[in-house]
Amino acid sequence: MNDQERITDMILSEKKMSTNYNTFASECVDERLRDEYLKILGQSHMTQTALFKAAQAKGWYKVDPAPQSKISETYNKFNMEKP
């Protein structure tokens, strides 16, 4: 396994773990345990960001910017749905 495959695997693992932590926190009855899950979720997001930035810096994770028209369309859609 090369470095690009490793970092991709780590990003995908963090994404899956974040999904699980989010579910655990939202379904947790005990407030202290929920707070711990939320803390871990925040740490997981920071790890994902660091991995994403590292992969991007190496040219391994390219994200094409959305066209301004699509951004405006999406913004308007959700802005109109506000109560």
Side-chain angles (χ1 to χ4, degrees):
M1 184 181 268
N2 64 33
D3 288 346
Q4 183 177 1
E5 292 168 331
R6 277 188 200 91
I7 202 165
T8 299
D9 184 58
M10 288 188 285
I11 290 170
L12 293 174
S13 295
E14 283 295 330
K15 285 181 179 182
K16 179 63 178 167
M17 288 188 306
S18 289
T19 299
N20 290 338
Y21 293 139
N22 188 53
T23 300
F24 298 157
S26 67
E27 296 177 357
C28 189
V29 176
D30 185 273
E31 191 172 327
R32 290 184 328 198
L33 185 56
R34 181 178 49 248
D35 289 345
E36 284 301 312
Y37 280 132
L38 290 173
K39 185 167 61 172
I40 294 168
L41 177 62
Q43 292 168 344
S44 181
H45 281 289
M46 290 188 317
T47 301
Q48 283 181 62
T49 299
L51 290 167
F52 172 75
K53 287 180 179 181
Q56 235 186 353
K58 297 276 189 181
W60 298 336
Y61 201 120
K62 296 184 185 200
V63 178
D64 295 327
Q68 185 59 46
S69 61
K70 187 67 175 172
I71 294 170
S72 297
E73 176 187 322
T74 303
Y75 174 82
N76 290 334
K77 176 186 173 191
F78 287 102
N79 198 33
M80 290 175 57
E81 292 178 3
K82 285 183 181 178

